[in-house]
Amino acid sequence: MRHHALPALFAALSVICGSAVAADYSGRARVIDGDTISIGHERVRIAAIDACERGQTGLKDGKVWRCGVAARSYLGKMIDGRHVRCDIIDRDQYRRLVGQCFIGETDIGLAMVKAGLAEAMLRYLPATHSINEVEYGQAENRARDNGFGMWSAEIESPHVYRRSKTSDMQ
């Protein structure tokens, strides 16, 4: 009977240890897009934000504005090659880690929202997280009221844009 209990014990330990190791993920980062970074060989989706997709555009001052490029560029200037620490809170449907990420004490997701280059996306946060939802909501409202970034343009919300692109391919 003991012999059969060992595999279950090892499986439980690997789950516990695996999540403990992933609770804090850090290293030199590079940007994938406006809300996803790579640390080592692991992709991390920045929690609580939704930025324009790479190819997404809108109209700004009567001209085509590449909001996905703008979001990626802003994030790149902030973090590329720098040491980033992410407090991992979940995995998404694509098996990417999802985390609240920092450069020093600066919350990267919150900085993106303040700049108007990402929407606050709080509905998918797991029950146990330490993200200040009020602060994110207030930052989005200020960016919108001041016409920063995406709030100065005519664009689809990133999640609406993705949904329309997915339905176009079907």
Side-chain angles (χ1 to χ4, degrees):
M1 186 70 174
R2 282 186 184 166
H3 185 69
H4 293 292
L6 284 177
L9 176 64
F10 286 128
L13 283 174
S14 68
V15 167
I16 292 167
C17 292
S19 60
V21 170
D24 185 9
Y25 202 83
S26 64
R28 286 205 182 282
R30 67 180 184 85
V31 173
I32 304 300
D33 61 24
D35 52 25
T36 307
I37 63 174
S38 175
I39 299 174
H41 296 293
E42 192 75 52
R43 285 191 177 201
V44 180
R45 174 79 160 72
I46 300 171
I49 70 169
D50 196 13
C52 289
E53 296 298 314
R54 277 191 221 179
Q56 188 174 351
T57 61
L59 287 178
K60 187 173 191 174
D61 300 323
K63 297 177 185 164
V64 173
W65 181 57
R66 297 169 56 193
C67 61
V69 171
R72 185 185 189 289
S73 175
Y74 186 86
L75 184 58
K77 288 175 184 160
M78 193 179 352
I79 71 160
D80 261 348
R82 297 184 65 193
H83 187 87
V84 172
R85 175 182 55 85
C86 297
D87 297 332
I88 304 304
I89 61 171
D90 206 358
R91 277 204 184 261
D92 70 7
Q93 66 199 37
Y94 305 107
R95 304 292 302 144
R96 294 176 296 193
L97 296 174
V98 177
Q100 185 177 17
C101 300
F102 300 87
I103 297 173
E105 296 300 312
T106 301
D107 179 336
I108 296 167
L110 185 59
M112 292 293 289
V113 173
K114 284 179 177 180
L117 292 167
E119 295 178 335
M121 186 177 69
L122 306 169
R123 66 183 168 272
Y124 297 113
L125 290 174
T128 56
H129 66 82
S130 61
I131 294 172
N132 185 330
E133 295 177 50
V134 172
E135 189 175 17
Y136 271 69
Q138 289 172 341
E140 181 179 303
N141 289 338
R142 277 192 302 277
R144 181 183 289 122
D145 292 347
N146 290 306
F148 295 156
M150 66 194 319
W151 307 113
S152 67
E154 296 175 41
I155 62 163
E156 286 181 296
S157 181
H159 72 276
V160 172
Y161 175 82
R162 276 191 304 280
R163 195 176 312 128
S164 71
K165 290 297 168 196
T166 304
S167 65
D168 287 350
M169 294 190 291
Q170 294 177 356

